[in-house]
Amino acid sequence: MRSAVATRRQFLAVGGVALAGAVLSRSVVSEIVKLPSALGFASPSGEGQGGGSSSPSPSPTLSPSPSPSLSPSPAPTPATVTIPVPVIQQSMVLDCETAALQQGLAYYGINVGQPQLFAQQNADVRLPAMGSNHSVLRWGNPYKNFVGYVNGSDWIPTGYGVYWPVILDLARNYGLPNAIGGEGFAPSAIYSALAAGQPVQVWVETRFARVALATWMAWDGTAVRYSYAEHSLTLTGVSPTQVRVNDVLDASQYWVSKSLFEANFADFNNMAVIFR
């Protein structure tokens, strides 16, 4: 994404914060405080309809072990660790996943552009089969390819994103053979990785909003858990009560409570890639 206007996964402030019809309460909004500057909210490209919550079929890599509040950086303590990961903005409307990967690679001195990384995700640009109530019945498999048009809309929808196996393969192919990824990560494993200086890419919801989840069936028969607010970003720090986020949506950096992070994390079956 080149700007925070008219692009993927954004909010509309209307007496609160609305995302594709899902309105965040004032108590949830109060948990988010942008660090470098005021948030630039724009109308959403749209995400977050449907019901159900069945898990996708790929087996987790690790054993399993959960809107928002951006708060100022906590006072330094021996238990607070920050990792100097570059903050990068996504250059394509729906490709937060590639930008989050780029941040993780850049921390290790591996500089690869988003277009190059995206080209190897073999986007499946077929349109979805839609059901009632704006639900997706059938679509591509984000465990194998980027689903949809990368500069499309995730609310219509004409585009979606990509999940951990594709990102992990790219991380390993570009110089991080020890990277690990999967679903079912315990939050404690994520915090331990951060404390050890290892950035972590996670799948959550935009600005940590909580919206409805549903499942579509991929063309190949894989069950895919999805949200119209699906988003990926890089965790770059941990304190006793918070995690620090490098958010590719608008190249911002902020802290969010562990409880809110864990709730979002669980929505996508605790999906992550640990860069190491």
Side-chain angles (χ1 to χ4, degrees), residues 175-199:
L176 298 180
N178 296 319
I180 58 173
E183 297 178 24
F185 280 97
S188 60
I190 302 303
Y191 306 147
S192 294
L194 294 169
Q198 300 166 353

Side-chain angles (χ1 to χ4, degrees), residues 5 12 15 51 59 69 82 86 131 138 140 161 216 228 236 243:
V5 179
L12 179 63
S59 300
S69 162
T82 58
R138 303 290 303 274
W216 77 61
Y228 286 121
T236 63
V243 289

Side-chain angles (χ1 to χ4, degrees), residues 106-189:
Y107 171 65
Y108 290 98
I110 304 166
N111 297 308
V112 188
Q114 291 176 48
Q116 181 176 339
L117 292 168
F118 176 74
Q120 296 175 63
Q121 297 173 30
N122 302 312
D124 179 350
V125 297
R126 289 176 287 182
L127 295 176
M130 301 297 291
S132 60
N133 300 318
H134 200 68
S135 62
V136 178
L137 297 179
R138 303 290 303 274
W139 209 357
N141 185 349
Y143 293 95
K144 293 183 176 179
N145 310 93
F146 187 95
V147 174
Y149 291 99
V150 71
N151 286 313
S153 165
D154 49 4
W155 174 243
I156 293 176
T158 56
Y160 184 70
V162 69
Y163 283 172
W164 71 266
V166 178
I167 296 300
L168 178 61
D169 285 348
L170 286 168
R172 289 174 171 174
N173 291 342
Y174 277 95
L176 298 180
N178 296 319
I180 58 173
E183 297 178 24
F185 280 97
S188 60

